[in-house]
Amino acid sequence: MCGIIGYIGPQSTVEVLLGGLKRLEYRGYDSAGIATAHDGTLHVLRSQGKLDNLERQVGSRPMEGHYGLGHTRWATHGRPNEENAHPHRDCTKTLVVVHNGIIENYLDLKSRLSAEGHRFVTETDTEVIAHLLEKHFRSDLEQAVMETLKELDGVFAFATLSARQPDTLVGARNGPPLVVGLGEGESFLASDIPAFLSHTRSVMYLDDGEVAVLTPDGLRLVSHEGKEIKREPARITWDPIQVEKQGYKHFMLKEINEQPRAVRDTLLGRYSLDTGRIHLDETGLDDDSLKRTRKISLIACGTSWHAALVGKFLIENIARIPVEVDIASEFRYRNPILGPDDLVVGISQSGETADTLAALKATRDRGVTTLAICNVLGSMATRICTGTLYTHAGPEIGVASTKSFTTQLVALYLLAFKLAQIRGHLSPEESQNVLAEIARAAHVMEQTLLLAETLEGIAREFHLASNFLYLARGPLYPIALEGALKLKELSYIHAEGYPAGEMKHGPIALIDGRMPVVVLALTGLLFEKTANNIQEAKARGARIIAFATEGDRRLEQILDEDRDHLVFLPEHPELISPLIAVVPLQLLAYHISVARGCDVDQPRNLAKSVTVE
Ligand code: G6P
């Protein structure tokens, strides 16, 4: 939801800003803009649409300066046109602001500032920040920011630069992320680390309620109340090469193919096959409190919510603890019943999804233990929660989640095993068996990825369909939901995921000769029941794309060679089916999207991190 980048240093500011925005474009791509300070003047360039448009403008109108700000927008307030593109200016055009989030009291502020004579030229909420800064600026930008913060309500991160004090960048955080990068004689301010990862791996996260003041002399961190904060920078292990496409046509395809590596990394060092022990000490949750846990709530949004749905199956089946699953935006407003011995687990790739954070904060404030399953080191979710179980997917750039989903599943398997061991539901020997099965997952995924060509062929055949139905049962039902979501997000084809047994209670009415029905019918997992559902769909004319397990040829008797498709997934233990079955559905959605000429990595209207409600 909007990406911010700021730079102070000797390099070409415009190049640094554009490079940073390229890495932040996953956060929104409705418009982009940059501003630099040079010779006491601010130079601003903005463009509607993707960053390419801005880059073209920069090519024809070079900008100088060693201080600058950039922004890529996901529109909330105001249409996605050039006028509403950031950076926004005050009346004097001597200061600029870039902003991520929502200023909730902007209408009140706008009418008050208008009455005081300020002229508004955009439809955005952000513009009030520029005018407030103008109003409060006497001789120091930091002081103007402090005064301005007192008047703003909402969740926001912003950064500002003034021609009247051009050697200073100030950023403030109250919700959405801001992170400082500290290089040799240069500093960066950004919404996310990949924005400056090719320049430095030394980072400092801002907490809520903090302000960063960047000057050529370095960084000063202060609270919104003006109290000095001392913090050591953290060193990021992500490699800059990880945020490149490395020869793949799209980030999404690269990230789908990275899943075996990501799964291995997420398992690494967390179990011993010899003893069957699981090591999750890093979460900070002690065995006694896990043993006392009476109920678990899994909360998340989007694809992470689908991981939570699989997590319910895993934890209930393996550890025998009741699990509730909630969409975070529902959980936070439904006054859930929580007890002192409950555990609330927030699942979030980014660790910055506004609804998930709000739900976790509300839970923490009620004194309930919270655990984050998260991919981004030091992100807000990890700061709110009692403990964190990191996934090690590495940076995910494609807007549609892939490797973050499978690594979330791995984290949930580990949590389920750990809980089961502590509560006496898994003996050391049984633990060794399930761990051996999960240890095979990466290898089976590698074999599954070899189906890419088959799926590309199926995609070419079905890419003009208007509707898809995805069916599955048990722990594969969330995978059907995820397959349908991937297809909707990437190709704009309407798709629904349904528990196969529920098909006859509604979706069956949609089925006709034009409707492809994707069915996960793996061995075990209620195969016969799912096969019956395939028959029911076929009886109404559906064309079936079925996924079965290698060696199990029963569906061949049901399916028509000339109308249907039967794709065999490599033989694997039933326990890891959710991890394996999602891979071909990701590939199917990817290839359908490519066949339709859609923008795979940046689907319309979406953003990777949703930092507003
Ligand atoms: C957005 C993204 C999804 C993601 C969801 C939750 O909708 O487009 O891919 O699953 O947010 O994000 P999180 O970072 O909390 O997992």
Side-chain angles (χ1 to χ4, degrees):
M1 299 274 108
C2 299
I4 293 174
I5 171 88
Y7 178 68
I8 289 191
Q11 298 192 56
S12 154
T13 300
V14 171
E15 266 174 44
V16 173
L17 296 179
L18 290 176
L21 290 180
K22 188 103 223 130
R23 300 277 164 261
L24 293 175
E25 231 188 341
Y26 72 84
R27 303 179 70 86
Y29 27 84
D30 287 329
S31 63
I34 52 173
T36 59
H38 185 60
D39 286 344
T41 320
L42 285 178
H43 304 273
V44 178
L45 271 187
R46 305 177 306 171
S47 235
Q48 182 174 345
K50 297 204 171 165
L51 190 60
D52 304 353
N53 297 343
L54 181 70
E55 282 173 331
R56 270 192 293 278
Q57 277 207 54
V58 172
S60 57
R61 287 155 66 184
M63 293 160 75
E64 290 186 62
H66 291 293
Y67 309 88
L69 288 176
H71 187 268
T72 179
R73 180 171 187 238
W74 187 86
T76 58
H77 293 60
R79 282 161 292 168
N81 55 21
E82 186 179 328
E83 183 181 77
N84 291 326
H86 302 219
H88 290 295
R89 283 167 280 202
D90 66 332
C91 301
T92 65
K93 299 210 176 349
T94 57
L95 67 81
V96 280
V97 177
V98 290
H99 161 227
N100 172 25
I102 291 178
I103 306 300
E104 283 168 4
N105 57 339
Y106 87 103
L107 286 175
D108 287 348
L109 290 170
K110 193 169 176 174
S111 53
R112 190 152 57 71
L113 288 160
S114 300
E116 290 170 14
H118 290 267
R119 291 178 314 280
F120 282 80
V121 293
T122 77
E123 301 162 330
T124 67
D125 53 340
T126 307
E127 200 183 346
V128 297
I129 308 176
H131 292 288
L132 282 173
L133 288 167
E134 174 190 358
K135 176 176 165 182
H136 293 301
F137 191 99
R138 287 186 284 279
S139 57
D140 180 31
L141 194 57
E142 179 184 337
Q143 154 267 321
V145 168
M146 293 306 193
E147 297 292 316
T148 298
L149 284 169
K150 290 182 196 149
E151 303 201 43
L152 298 176
D153 288 340
V155 286
F156 53 81
F158 70 82
T160 178
L161 174 66
S162 165
R164 289 156 72 190
Q165 191 185 348
D167 59 351
T168 306
L169 274 187
V170 185
R173 173 178 186 173
N174 187 40
L178 264 190
V179 54
V180 174
L182 297 163
E184 290 287 320
E186 58 184 359
S187 335
F188 307 79
L189 183 67
S191 300
D192 198 0
I193 293 162
F196 53 69
L197 192 59
S198 56
H199 303 282
T200 180
R201 291 199 211 172
S202 176
V203 307
M204 202 175 295
Y205 291 93
L206 264 69
D207 267 337
D208 267 353
E210 291 184 355
V211 172
V213 185
L214 277 67
T215 63
D217 300 329
L219 164 74
R220 229 163 63 76
L221 269 191
V222 287
S223 70
H224 284 193
E225 293 75 37
K227 215 168 122 240
E228 197 98 14
I229 296 162
K230 291 270 166 263
R231 183 173 303 142
E232 285 303 308
R235 193 146 182 87
I236 288 299
T237 52
W238 288 357
D239 195 316
I241 199 77
Q242 286 180 292
V243 295
E244 304 299 335
K245 282 194 197 145
Q246 295 173 330
Y248 285 95
K249 198 167 165 207
H250 297 101
F251 278 111
M252 185 189 179
L253 187 59
K254 173 186 165 233
E255 287 158 4
I256 290 173
N257 279 282
E258 276 179 338
Q259 291 181 107
R261 192 276 308 147
V263 162
R264 283 193 184 100
D265 284 357
T266 304
L267 285 170
L268 194 70
R270 285 172 163 166
Y271 69 92
S272 155
L273 266 187
D274 293 340
T275 60
R277 286 193 56 128
I278 312 272
H279 309 291
L280 297 183
D281 306 349
E282 66 192 79
T283 61
L285 301 180
D286 61 85
D287 288 7
D288 283 345
S289 76
L290 289 177
K291 197 168 188 173
R292 278 198 312 273
T293 304
R294 286 163 51 93
K295 187 184 85 204
I296 295 180
S297 297
L298 302 176
I299 52 175
C301 301
T303 288
S304 301
W305 177 66
H306 295 157
L309 291 172
V310 178
K312 176 180 167 74
F313 277 92
L314 299 177
I315 296 169
E316 289 192 340
N317 269 335
I318 301 168
R320 308 305 300 157
I321 303 175
V323 177
E324 286 182 355
V325 180
D326 264 284
I327 290 179
S329 55
E330 291 296 317
F331 182 89
R332 65 184 286 197
Y333 292 117
R334 81 167 168 83
N335 193 15
I337 299 165
L338 292 171
D341 292 331
D342 284 1
L343 172 66
V344 173
V345 182
I347 307 175
S348 174
Q349 185 282 131
S350 60
E352 58 173 277
T353 301
D355 284 316
T356 308
L357 294 183
L360 286 171
K361 270 187 198 147
T363 306
R364 177 197 63 186
D365 294 347
R366 288 168 64 173
V368 177
T369 307
T370 49
L371 176 72
I373 292 182
C374 187
N375 192 39
V376 179
L377 186 76
S379 60
M380 199 60 194
T382 70
R383 285 151 182 266
I384 292 173
C385 287
T386 321
T388 299
L389 179 52
Y390 279 106
T391 54
H392 294 300
E396 193 178 63
I397 311 291
V399 166
S401 299
T402 51
K403 61 176 179 170
S404 66
F405 176 71
T406 37
T407 52
Q408 285 166 350
L409 293 190
V410 170
L412 287 161
Y413 278 100
L414 290 172
L415 182 64
F417 296 160
K418 177 79 184 172
L419 288 163
Q421 286 180 348
I422 291 173
R423 299 160 74 93
H425 292 293
L426 266 187
S427 68
E429 201 179 39
E430 287 164 331
S431 298
Q432 284 167 323
N433 291 340
V434 291
L435 285 169
E437 294 189 350
I438 191 100
R440 274 186 62 195
H443 176 63
V444 182
M445 277 178 150
E446 273 158 2
Q447 294 173 309
T448 310
L449 287 165
L450 301 176
L451 292 169
E453 215 174 297
T454 309
L455 294 161
E456 191 177 352
I458 298 176
R460 271 200 299 272
E461 193 176 325
F462 288 94
H463 76 280
L464 294 177
S466 313
N467 297 287
F468 267 74
L469 190 58
Y470 285 68
L471 302 175
R473 284 174 179 262
L476 292 183
Y477 153 57
I479 304 301
L481 290 179
E482 176 60 8
L485 177 65
K486 287 284 91 83
L487 188 70
K488 285 190 262 231
E489 287 182 309
L490 296 171
S491 69
Y492 320 138
I493 295 176
H494 169 243
E496 292 198 38
Y498 247 82
E502 187 68 7
M503 176 188 67
K504 47 191 159 315
H505 299 288
I508 200 163
L510 298 171
I511 294 179
D512 60 20
R514 292 185 304 275
M515 171 79 115
V517 179
V518 178
V519 191
L520 297 174
L522 304 189
T523 306
L525 300 166
L526 302 165
F527 173 88
E528 287 82 4
K529 309 264 176 218
T530 311
N532 289 340
N533 301 130
I534 293 179
Q535 299 271 31
E536 289 157 7
K538 275 191 71 63
R540 273 86 191 168
R543 294 187 65 188
I544 307 293
I545 304 167
F547 293 90
T549 310
E550 189 70 61
D552 185 345
R553 312 193 77 87
R554 285 175 287 176
L555 284 182
E556 281 174 350
Q557 296 155 38
I558 302 177
L559 299 177
D560 294 317
E561 239 176 77
D562 51 342
R563 295 193 81 236
D564 304 320
H565 287 274
L566 178 55
V567 181
F568 288 107
L569 303 189
E571 199 267 320
H572 60 268
E574 191 175 328
L575 177 73
I576 62 169
S577 280
L579 271 174
I580 307 305
V582 74
V583 174
L585 301 194
Q586 295 166 342
L587 285 167
L588 184 64
Y590 170 80
H591 285 296
I592 289 179
S593 170
V594 171
R596 289 167 72 91
C598 298
D599 189 338
V600 175
D601 283 334
Q602 295 176 343
R604 72 181 179 208
N605 305 341
L606 295 177
K608 188 153 189 72
S609 300
V610 181
T611 54
V612 294
E613 260 195 70

